[in-house]
Amino acid sequence: MNNNISIEQEIKKSYLEYSLSVIIGRAIPDVRDGLKPVHRRILYAMHELGNSYNRPYKKSARVVGDVIGKYHPHGDSAVYDALVRMAQDFNMRDPLVDGQGNFGSIDGDAPAAMRYTEARMSRLAGEFLGDIEKKTVNFRPNYDNTLYEPEVLPTKVPNILINGSSGIAVGMATNIPPHNLGEVVDGLLHLLDKPQSSVQDLMSLIKAPDLPTGAYIYNMKGIREAYETGRGSFKIRSRVDVESKNKNQDSIIISEIPFALNKSNLVEKIAGLVNEKKIEGISDLRDESDRTGIRIVIDLKKGSIPDVIINKLYKLTALETSFGINMMAVVNNRPQLLNLKDVLEHFLEHRKEVIIRRSRYDLEKAEHRAHILEGLQIALDNIDEVVRLIRSSTTPAQAKEKLISAFKLSSVQAQAILDMRLQRLTNLEREKLLEEYRELLKKIEYLKSILENIQVLKTVIRDELTELKKVYASPRKSIILEKNPDDIDIMDMIPDQDVVLTMSRKGYIKRTLLEFYHQQKRGGKGIAGANVSEKDFISTLITTSNHQDIYLFSNKGKAYKLKAYEIPEGSRTARGVHINNLLPLSGDEYIATALSERTMNKDDFFLFVTKRGIVKKSAVELYKNLRSLGLIAVNLREGDELIGVRVITQDARIVLSTRDGFAIHFACNEIRSMGRVASGVKGISLRKSDQVVSVVITNGEDRTDLFTISEKGFGKKTSLDMYRIQSRGGKGLINMKVTSKTGPVVGSMLLSDNDELIIFTSANKIIRVSAADIRQVGRSTQGVKMVNLEDGQKVICFDMIIQENQLGSPSRSEAEEHGYD
C-alpha cells in the first residue's frame, strides 16, 4: 500500500484549514449577531448562569471559568479580556456587559484581576438571547462533545453595526465602526418596507458611524465609499473648545477624543511637543478628566492665537485620526466583504428565520395544548361516564384504554383526563378552561398567519425593532461635519490685526499688536522694547498684519516663508521664540531680511542686495513654492552676505546706502533678470572697508524724501531730487556726513510728512515719532538728533508705519513698499 503524501499538498490543505479556523472561529464576526465565538460564548454562559441584568452580579472569574470549561478551550486571560472590553463604554457604543469594579480606563490602565471584579449581562444583551430555548437557532456540540452551544444568537439587535468589530485573521481583516442604534433601526425599517432601496437611500437614515467617545466625523466621501463597497475611510477629529480666562489669555479644552485613542499617550505626546518646542505658546498642560468625562486643559501663553495652536495639535498629534472601514463578516461560514445594504439584509433575513422558527415552536406548543383542552372539554361534558369508566378499571392503563375507546380520544388527551385534579370539575375552573381554549385558538390563527403571510411576518419584525429603538436608542454622540475642516481656511478664524514683527540678531522673533506702541515726540527716550540679552540686539522690524505672508531671507542666501500668525505672539518686552523653532536654519545662518507682501504680481521681481554691493533681479514666480527646508535664493560669493531683498517692478529705481554715508541711485532696468541660483552683478563700487547697509525702492510715488539715520541717533530728510540717476556700478554720492558725533549710517528709507517711524536702540528702547517732526536738509549734512542715547548706546533698526487713512486699507510695512529691514 502506497502511503506517500505530497508535502506541498499537505501543507496547502493544512494551512487552508488553519486559515478557515482562524477566520470563522476567532477573528471575523458573524454577520447575523455581529459576534465572534468568544463573545457569543461569554453571553451564552452568562445566560445559563442566570446572570442577567436584573439579577445580582457574579464574580468575573466564575463566568470565565464556565466559558473556558464548557465552550472555549483557550486561556482565561483571552476570555477575560474579551469580557472586559464588552463592559467598557469607551470601546462599545452600547456595552453588553454590566461590570462592577475596575474594568480599565481610556488611559490604557489594565482592569483588576477577574477574582476582584463582578459582572452581569447588560439589559441590551438580554435581547441577544431572547427565545433561544424555542429552537430559534441551531446548536452544535462543544469542543469535547459533552454539551451543546448555539451557532449564532437569536438577537434582536443589529450588533455588527451597533458595536462594530475589529479583528485580524489570516490574509484578511475586519474593521467595522460602531453606529447609532436608533439610526440603524430606522435603516432596517426602511429596507423592510422598501427592499429595492439603494445604499444612497439608506444613507439618508444611517449617515455615518457613531463612536463611543464622540468627537467629530468628516470625509463623507470616504464613508459613502465604505457603505457602497465595504471599504473606505473617514476622519475623526477631537472636540476642542476655547475658554477665555481673561482678556488676552485662553485655555484649550479637549473634551472628546478619537475612538480607540489612549488618552494618557495623547497627553504625553502633547507634552513632548511642547518640551521640544515644536508647539509654542503653551504655558501649562493638565488632565482634569474624571468619571463624568474627559477634560484635558491646555493653558496658552498671553497673546497666543488658540486656532493656530489647535491646528498644530491636529497636525502633530492623534487629536485627528483616520478610521479605515473594512466591512468583512462571516456569511454562511464564509468570509465576505459587505456593503451597508448587504449587512442590513442579512440581519433582516436572520430575524425572519428566528421569528419563523419561534412561531413554529409556539404553534406546536399551542396546538398541543389546544388538543389537550379539547379532550378535557369532552371529559367535562361527560363527567359521570368518565368517572364510571375510571372506577370500573382495575389499572390506570385499563382506564386510559377505556377512555380512548369510549370517547375516541388520543393517548395524550386520555392521559390528561386521568391527570386532571378534581377541583377542575367546578364551574369556575370549567370556564377557565373554555377561556384558555378560545385564547389558544386565536394564538394558533395568529401564528399560522405569521408563517403563511409575509406581510404579517414583516409587521412582527417592525414591531420588535420599533420597541428596541424605543427602549435602547440614545442620542448621537459623534457630530458629523458636512464640510471637511481641511477645506476651512484657518485665516478665516484669525483676526487680521495690525502687528509689529521683531527679530533679534540671534534669531529671537515675536509678533506684537501694533496698538501696544503709542506715538511720541521727536527726541524722546522711548518705551521699553524686547528684553533681549546684552550680547543680542533687534535686527529686523516690520509692521504688517496677521494674514500676510512673511518672506524670510537668510544671510546665506536662502529663502523661507511663514504666515504672520504662525509667529508666536509676545508682549512688547518679551524676548520671543528662537527662529530655529520655526525654520530649519544652520548653525551660523540668521535671517537678514523679512518681507511682508499681501499679493505679488507675476510681473514683479525680487531684488537681492549683498553687503559687498552685488545686486540680482529674479522673477517672483521663481520663489512661489518655498519648501519647509527653504530654497536657495541667490548664490553668494565667498565672504559675502545677503543684507536685503525687495519686491520691485521693471520701472522702479533703486537707492543703495552704505555704512560710510554714500548712496547710489540707478534704474532697475539696468539689471537684467536672472535665474534663481545666479550670483548677480555689481550695484555699487565700495570704498575700502565700506559696505551696503540698506536698499530703498522708489516708484515715483508721493514720498520724495530720503530719510537716513545713524547709529548715534542722528537723522535727516533729503529730497530725492538731490540724488541724480547714475549708472549701476558707480561709487555714488555723499548721502550723510558721517563723523564721530553721528556714527556710521544704519539705513535709509523714503518718507512723507504723514508717516510715522518706530526706532529701536541697543538699550532695547523703542521710540515712535512722526516724520513731520524731522527737518529736511541737504545731502552732505549730519541731520538732527532723533533719539537721546546714553554712552555706549546706538540705534539698531527702524521701520515706517503707513496710516490707514492714507491707504484706505490696514497698515502695511515699509518693507512691503520700500523694503527696509
Side-chain angles (χ1 to χ4, degrees):
M1 182 176 179
N2 186 6
N3 292 324
N4 292 334
I5 300 174
S6 169
I7 293 178
E8 180 183 352
Q9 293 300 321
E10 181 62 25
I11 291 176
K12 184 183 293 185
K13 176 176 175 292
S14 299
Y15 191 74
L16 286 173
E17 290 176 353
Y18 164 73
S19 301
L20 189 63
S21 173
V22 172
I23 292 167
I24 306 299
R26 191 177 303 178
I28 308 296
D30 193 292
V31 70
R32 295 169 291 179
D33 60 8
L35 298 172
K36 300 176 186 179
V38 64
H39 303 115
R40 187 178 301 117
R41 288 163 177 167
I42 288 171
L43 292 181
Y44 184 63
M46 296 177 87
H47 173 72
E48 284 194 311
L49 282 170
N51 195 18
S52 59
Y53 79 96
N54 53 2
R55 299 285 184 84
Y57 292 92
K58 293 185 183 294
K59 283 289 185 183
S60 299
R62 170 73 186 279
V63 177
V64 171
D66 269 27
V67 173
I68 62 176
K70 293 180 177 180
Y71 310 114
H72 200 67
H74 298 276
D76 57 357
S77 61
V79 176
Y80 185 51
D81 288 346
L83 184 147
V84 165
R85 192 178 188 281
M86 294 167 75
Q88 293 174 334
D89 59 2
F90 52 87
N91 272 322
M92 303 286 282
R93 178 59 178 81
D94 296 283
L96 303 180
V97 170
D98 179 9
Q100 183 169 263
N102 176 15
F103 275 78
S105 74
I106 199 170
D107 287 321
D109 300 320
M114 57 184 164
R115 62 182 178 273
Y116 298 120
T117 62
E118 296 179 336
R120 63 185 179 188
M121 287 193 295
S122 68
R123 186 181 178 187
L124 181 65
E127 304 291 353
F128 280 67
L129 293 133
D131 304 321
I132 195 170
E133 71 285 350
K134 294 184 178 181
K135 300 181 181 179
T136 49
V137 293
N138 295 331
F139 278 69
R140 62 188 173 201
N142 69 340
Y143 64 91
D144 61 0
N145 292 315
T146 59
L147 297 168
Y148 285 88
E149 62 174 319
E151 293 181 358
V152 67
L153 298 184
T155 177
K156 296 178 183 177
V157 183
N159 184 63
I160 194 166
L161 288 177
I162 301 305
N163 281 314
S165 185
S166 64
I168 301 174
V170 178
M172 63 183 62
T174 187
N175 201 30
I176 304 172
H179 290 73
N180 184 272
L181 187 148
E183 293 180 1
V184 174
V185 168
D186 288 341
L188 287 167
L189 293 174
H190 181 81
L191 188 61
L192 188 66
D193 293 332
K194 299 178 180 179
Q196 303 305 318
S197 297
S198 65
V199 171
Q200 190 66 34
D201 295 333
L202 295 172
M203 281 191 66
S204 64
L205 300 168
I206 307 174
K207 294 181 174 63
D210 187 22
L211 308 175
T213 53
Y216 296 102
I217 288 176
Y218 68 98
N219 188 16
M220 295 304 295
K221 180 180 178 182
I223 294 173
R224 187 178 301 108
E225 182 181 355
Y227 285 167
E228 290 176 347
T229 67
R231 285 196 177 97
S233 67
F234 63 93
K235 288 193 174 183
I236 312 169
R237 175 170 278 204
S238 301
R239 185 185 185 96
V240 178
D241 300 295
V242 177
E243 291 183 0
S244 296
K245 299 177 68 175
N246 53 53
K247 183 178 179 182
N248 293 311
Q249 194 166 13
D250 301 304
S251 294
I252 295 173
I253 310 298
I254 302 171
S255 55
E256 295 175 3
I257 62 176
F259 179 50
L261 177 63
N262 185 304
K263 176 167 65 68
S264 179
N265 291 345
L266 172 65
V267 174
E268 289 180 10
K269 176 65 174 178
I270 296 173
L273 291 171
V274 174
N275 292 333
E276 294 167 10
K277 298 188 182 300
K278 291 183 178 179
I279 298 181
E280 295 284 350
I282 294 177
S283 62
D284 191 24
L285 169 66
R286 57 189 181 276
D287 188 355
E288 297 181 355
S289 306
D290 55 25
R291 65 179 58 191
T292 63
I294 294 172
R295 182 178 168 87
I296 301 171
V297 181
I298 302 173
D299 289 336
L300 305 183
K301 293 179 180 177
K302 189 174 182 179
S304 297
I305 299 177
D307 290 313
V308 175
I309 295 176
I310 290 171
N311 196 48
K312 288 183 179 179
L313 288 171
Y314 282 141
K315 289 182 178 179
L316 300 177
T317 73
L319 277 178
E320 180 176 276
T321 60
S322 291
F323 189 102
I325 301 176
N326 185 18
M327 295 172 62
M328 183 75 67
V330 174
V331 181
N332 297 325
N333 286 325
R334 295 180 65 87
Q336 187 174 331
L337 187 65
L338 306 169
N339 63 26
L340 179 63
K341 184 177 180 181
D342 293 335
V343 173
L344 298 180
E345 284 178 336
H346 284 299
F347 178 77
L348 288 176
E349 287 301 317
H350 179 54
R351 283 309 301 160
K352 288 177 184 177
E353 182 181 355
V354 168
I355 293 171
I356 288 172
R357 293 178 68 159
R358 181 186 70 192
S359 299
R360 286 173 180 165
Y361 180 88
D362 289 340
L363 178 60
E364 182 181 339
K365 291 290 185 182
E367 288 178 337
H368 179 74
R369 179 60 179 168
H371 180 64
I372 290 175
L373 291 178
E374 288 170 354
L376 292 178
Q377 287 183 49
I378 293 173
L380 291 174
D381 292 340
N382 301 277
I383 189 61
D384 293 335
E385 181 63 18
V386 169
V387 171
R388 187 188 67 77
L389 286 175
I390 293 173
R391 292 188 63 186
S392 65
S393 301
T394 56
T395 63
Q398 186 182 29
K400 185 176 181 180
E401 287 296 327
K402 288 182 178 180
L403 290 172
I404 292 172
S405 176
F407 300 106
K408 294 183 171 46
L409 302 173
S410 68
S411 177
V412 173
Q413 289 175 321
Q415 186 62 47
I417 292 171
L418 291 173
D419 293 340
M420 184 175 62
R421 300 174 66 181
L422 290 178
Q423 72 177 26
R424 305 299 294 273
L425 299 178
T426 63
N427 286 332
L428 182 60
E429 289 295 318
R430 177 187 179 92
E431 188 59 35
K432 283 184 180 180
L433 287 175
L434 292 173
E435 181 61 27
E436 183 184 358
Y437 182 67
R438 285 192 291 268
E439 291 299 322
L440 278 174
L441 291 179
K442 292 179 182 178
K443 184 177 181 180
I444 291 169
E445 182 180 1
Y446 172 67
L447 293 171
K448 285 182 177 179
S449 69
I450 293 175
L451 299 172
E452 295 170 358
N453 189 329
I454 186 64
Q455 295 304 322
V456 178
L457 175 60
K458 287 184 176 181
T459 300
V460 175
I461 296 174
R462 185 180 299 105
D463 291 343
E464 289 183 348
L465 290 173
T466 301
E467 182 64 20
L468 185 76
K469 177 183 176 181
K470 179 181 177 181
V471 176
Y472 299 103
S474 59
R476 186 175 184 87
K477 292 185 177 181
S478 295
I479 299 173
I480 302 170
L481 300 179
E482 297 294 341
K483 184 176 181 180
N484 289 357
D486 294 338
D487 297 336
I488 300 173
D489 192 342
I490 190 172
M491 288 197 296
D492 293 338
M493 301 181 285
I494 297 172
D496 193 17
Q497 297 170 301
D498 296 331
V499 293
V500 176
L501 302 182
T502 59
M503 187 166 58
S504 73
R505 175 62 177 76
K506 289 190 175 181
Y508 289 92
I509 189 170
K510 68 174 180 176
R511 173 175 49 88
T512 306
L513 291 178
L514 180 61
E515 64 187 37
F516 291 160
Y517 299 94
H518 56 273
Q519 184 173 326
Q520 296 170 279
K521 294 295 182 180
R522 177 176 63 82
K525 290 189 174 182
I527 56 176
N531 186 22
V532 295
S533 66
E534 292 182 0
K535 296 181 179 180
D536 198 7
F537 58 87
I538 299 297
S539 63
T540 302
L541 181 149
I542 60 175
T543 57
T544 182
S545 64
N546 280 330
H547 287 192
Q548 290 186 5
D549 288 329
I550 307 301
Y551 288 82
L552 301 110
F553 298 89
S554 76
N555 63 316
K556 298 295 185 182
K558 292 189 72 175
Y560 306 88
K561 185 169 72 173
L562 291 172
K563 285 290 185 184
Y565 64 75
E566 294 179 315
I567 299 170
E569 186 173 346
S571 67
R572 194 182 63 242
T573 57
R575 184 185 191 187
V577 299
H578 200 275
I579 192 66
N580 284 350
N581 293 318
L582 306 175
L583 300 175
L585 301 179
S586 59
D588 58 346
E589 185 180 13
Y590 63 88
I591 298 300
T593 297
L595 297 179
S596 172
E597 189 67 15
R598 198 179 297 272
T599 59
M600 290 185 181
N601 298 320
K602 63 180 181 179
D603 296 330
D604 289 345
F605 297 90
F606 276 132
L607 175 71
F608 299 89
V609 180
T610 74
K611 72 177 183 180
R612 288 192 171 182
I614 302 298
V615 294
K616 186 187 89 164
K617 184 175 72 175
S618 297
V620 164
E621 291 294 319
L622 297 176
Y623 302 87
K624 283 293 186 182
N625 299 320
L626 293 182
R627 298 175 299 187
S628 59
L629 296 178
L631 283 174
I632 294 175
V634 58
N635 267 326
L636 298 173
R637 299 170 186 178
E638 186 177 354
D640 201 0
E641 287 188 355
L642 186 66
I643 62 104
V645 183
R646 308 294 174 256
V647 178
I648 62 172
T649 58
Q650 187 65 33
D651 58 351
R653 296 197 304 272
I654 301 163
V655 178
L656 303 182
S657 298
T658 74
R659 181 178 175 84
D660 289 344
F662 292 90
I664 188 169
H665 187 188
F666 60 91
C668 173
N669 56 22
E670 288 208 11
I671 310 170
R672 63 178 177 85
S673 181
M674 304 178 189
R676 183 171 56 82
V677 295
S679 297
V681 295
K682 184 178 289 188
I684 184 172
S685 294
L686 297 173
R687 293 160 175 81
K688 187 177 181 181
S689 75
D690 198 3
Q691 65 183 54
V692 176
V693 293
S694 71
V695 54
V696 172
I697 308 300
T698 173
N699 292 297
E701 70 284 344
D702 294 337
R703 291 180 179 82
T704 57
D705 290 329
L706 184 68
F707 170 73
T708 302
I709 190 169
S710 69
E711 283 188 356
K712 292 189 177 181
F714 284 80
K716 73 180 187 71
K717 286 190 307 187
T718 303
S719 173
L720 193 63
D721 293 337
M722 300 186 71
Y723 299 83
R724 71 177 187 272
I725 303 293
Q726 297 178 277
S727 296
R728 173 186 60 80
K731 290 188 175 182
L733 304 171
I734 295 176
N735 175 39
M736 185 178 193
K737 186 177 180 181
V738 173
T739 64
S740 58
K741 180 180 178 181
T742 63
V745 171
V746 173
S748 302
M749 67 164 57
L750 289 180
L751 285 181
S752 74
D753 286 345
N754 294 321
D755 296 328
E756 289 183 72
L757 292 171
I758 289 183
I759 302 171
F760 270 68
T761 74
S762 60
N764 301 316
K765 297 292 184 179
I766 303 169
I767 184 168
R768 180 170 174 171
V769 298
S770 172
D773 293 339
I774 306 170
R775 183 164 55 91
Q776 188 183 72
V777 294
R779 276 194 301 105
S780 58
T781 59
Q782 65 182 14
V784 295
K785 192 77 169 178
M786 298 290 301
V787 184
N788 289 325
L789 300 172
E790 298 178 6
D791 291 342
Q793 296 177 0
K794 59 184 178 179
V795 172
I796 299 300
C797 62
F798 64 105
D799 195 19
M800 183 181 70
I801 302 165
I802 303 174
Q803 297 299 326
E804 184 174 353
N805 59 10
Q806 290 177 259
L807 296 176
S809 60
S811 298
R812 298 183 298 172
S813 170
E814 174 64 12
E816 295 178 66
E817 292 289 306
H818 305 281
Y820 175 73
D821 95 63

